[in-house]
Amino acid sequence: MTTSASVPTEPEDAISVRGAAHDGTVTDRLVDANRLYAAAFTDPGMDARPVLHVAVVACMDARLDLHAALGLELGDCHTIRNAGGVVTDDVIRSLTISQRALGTRSVVLIHHTGCGLESLTEEFRHDLEMEVGQRPAWAVEAFRDVEQDVRQSMQRVRTSPFLLHTDDVRGFVFDVTTGLLREIDPA
């Protein structure tokens, strides 16, 4: 198993930016897109406090368009994403800042069907250590049962001593084929 970056599976021209040059790296294309965005940008006059006082923790999977799926607008929520949407120490750090410094009171956890973490194991860390000569300090947080992992994530949020608001913590599984959320009973 190789854990280094692999060759993209999409053709290089799969990422297109209207009005931008089609040469250079993907990052160059993203920077070009930002220039187009900034040209029409007007300051919305918001501050960093989410209007809906909610933080959403979700997987980084590219198939999840959280704002569209949840009917959210810019400024409505804090969005915290990582591989699997699992509640790690860093997620607790972000949620603590979100609650204590920026006024959020609710936490929504979103995992999804067909997650890549369902096919990994902690062996990934061992393979990585063999490849680069250093064992990662972080856990993969792989799982076999997405519902159970949502429950575990809810429990981690509810029992964190750093979080002020743990009463409104709800967890869901997003179905990547239907777009629907299915709520998970925390029991």
Side-chain angles (χ1 to χ4, degrees), residues 112-180:
H112 65 91
T113 58
C115 185
L117 282 188
E118 291 175 295
S119 62
L120 288 177
T121 66
E122 290 299 320
E123 189 69 19
F124 180 85
R125 290 174 70 222
H126 174 73
D127 293 345
L128 195 54
E129 180 182 13
M130 293 297 102
E131 181 180 328
V132 302
Q134 181 178 343
R135 188 167 184 87
W138 39 263
V140 174
E141 296 279 353
F143 53 85
R144 294 281 180 246
D145 182 336
V146 67
E147 290 184 16
Q148 182 55 35
D149 202 67
V150 171
R151 286 185 194 97
Q152 176 177 297
S153 290
M154 284 189 280
Q155 186 65 17
R156 286 179 177 172
V157 170
R158 288 188 173 126
T159 60
S160 173
F162 305 110
L163 299 176
L164 296 171
H165 307 287
T166 58
D167 294 337
D168 188 14
V169 178
R170 293 171 65 184
F172 301 85
V173 174
F174 177 86
D175 187 315
V176 297
T177 60
T178 67
L180 288 172

